[in-house]
Amino acid sequence: MRLIRRRREVEAEIAGEAAAAAAVTAPPADPDLEAAAFFDVDNTMMRGASIYHFARGLATRGMFTTSDLFKFAVGQAVFRLRGNENPEHIAVARETALAFVAGAKVDDVVRLGEEIYDEVMADRIWGGTRALAQSHLDAGQRVWLVTATPVELARVIAQRLGLTGALGTVAETRDGIYTGRLVGDLLHGPAKAEAVRALARREGLDLTRCTAYSDSANDLPMLSLVGNAMAINPDTELREHARKVGWPIKDFRTGRKATLTALPIAAGVGAVAGGVAAGIALRRHYRPHL
């Protein structure tokens, strides 16, 4: 177990460094270069899981069946409930993440991500969270998304929202095609903190002046890394922790909307693990053109 734990720590460090290297940066007009904000995506910036919405967009294009989509959603729910600290579940999640991108063209994934964001995701952005991000931009601070979603899709979301860039799971590519291997591990849990730490070194950020936002206790390593943290639409564990340590809490969910949001949600590794259905669809659709 000690060797497994150390290997996971090393993979998280590699994933963090890769995510930081892949981040797109754009300086604000009146910059405060030492402070920045980091936002989780799924159920923090967006209702539900970004990769689930991406898969739905692929389904509407006939790339896989409704049954595949159902299995996709169930797999995410099972992981969220039982898999976060189970090494076997994490290993399966990593393998399915490889299946998500193997054989697909990077340009195809980006183009589909742009189309599907505009069609499906744009209306699912939490207005309150978007306003928080804008407040950092208005203060001259840079704003990054930090998510287990593949970095190409994360970048699309960041660009559409006018943010600085995104830290996401990085997949290895060769000649513009995904090899089916990850660079490091999934950007989940401790790997998110490693990515933020690596980006801070590269960009000269003072982490004590930075702020992080998330809905999930899985992101406690990232939230605890910065000087300011806020729980957005928090799960039970994060809500309790936030109250204990005095972090502000914002909940933009109300009544039935909150219940519906919980159905497709997939935090961290679960989001990428569920992407196997979309990956199979992409490989089947594009392999004849490679």
Side-chain angles (χ1 to χ4, degrees):
M1 286 298 295
R2 185 175 300 172
L3 289 175
I4 292 174
R5 188 179 303 111
R6 178 53 188 158
R7 185 176 66 184
R8 287 176 58 188
E9 290 174 352
V10 171
E11 291 290 348
E13 292 173 4
I14 295 172
E17 292 285 352
V24 177
T25 61
D30 187 15
D32 178 358
L33 296 179
E34 290 189 344
F38 302 95
F39 285 81
D40 172 52
V41 173
D42 297 343
N43 207 41
T44 302
M45 182 62 73
M46 176 184 297
R47 296 198 301 275
S50 52
I51 200 68
Y52 175 86
H53 299 315
F54 182 58
R56 282 186 60 196
L58 294 179
T60 63
R61 287 159 170 76
M63 294 183 182
F64 58 95
T65 68
T66 303
S67 176
D68 290 330
L69 188 63
F70 177 75
K71 293 175 184 177
F72 169 98
V74 169
Q76 293 182 75
V78 169
F79 187 92
R80 182 170 176 80
L81 290 172
R82 301 189 303 179
N84 290 342
E85 299 303 329
N86 186 312
E88 292 182 3
H89 289 176
I90 291 173
V92 170
R94 195 176 194 279
E95 292 304 313
T96 54
L98 301 181
F100 174 77
V101 294
K105 295 180 180 179
V106 176
D107 289 346
D108 290 333
V109 171
V110 172
R111 176 179 57 79
L112 287 168
E114 291 172 344
E115 293 177 4
I116 293 169
Y117 177 87
D118 294 338
E119 295 171 7
V120 180
M121 301 183 195
D123 291 339
R124 297 178 181 276
I125 298 298
W126 293 107
T129 310
R130 180 68 186 86
L132 289 170
Q134 187 61 48
S135 70
H136 288 281
L137 294 172
D138 292 343
Q141 299 175 10
R142 288 169 289 177
V143 178
W144 281 276
L145 300 179
V146 187
T147 175
T149 293
V151 67
E152 289 79 14
L153 182 56
R155 283 174 181 161
V156 168
I157 299 170
Q159 289 166 0
R160 288 297 197 263
L161 295 175
L163 307 181
T164 306
L167 300 165
T169 295
V170 178
E172 183 184 79
T173 63
R174 185 175 295 120
D175 298 326
I177 297 172
Y178 293 107
T179 66
R181 292 183 291 272
L182 295 182
V183 179
D185 211 337
L186 304 171
L187 202 70
H188 166 73
K192 285 189 177 182
E194 291 294 343
V196 169
R197 188 179 287 111
L199 186 69
R201 288 195 298 267
R202 194 186 79 182
E203 298 293 325
L205 299 174
D206 179 354
L207 288 174
T208 65
R209 298 189 58 226
C210 292
T211 309
Y213 301 82
S214 178
D215 74 297
S216 174
N218 291 324
D219 288 339
L220 281 172
M222 177 179 73
L223 294 169
S224 302
L225 182 65
V226 298
N228 305 286
M230 180 179 291
I232 304 291
N233 307 324
D235 61 25
T236 301
E237 184 178 349
L238 179 58
R239 184 181 294 273
E240 292 177 354
H241 184 87
R243 286 173 174 167
K244 181 179 179 180
V245 300
W247 291 343
I249 299 172
K250 295 283 187 182
D251 200 325
F252 302 117
R253 302 167 296 182
T254 56
R256 182 169 175 270
K257 182 183 290 185
T259 302
L260 292 175
T261 297
L263 296 178
I265 184 175
V269 180
V272 183
V276 64
I280 292 170
L282 281 169
R283 291 203 311 280
R284 288 176 179 170
H285 187 73
Y286 290 111
R287 191 175 295 280
H289 305 291
L290 299 179

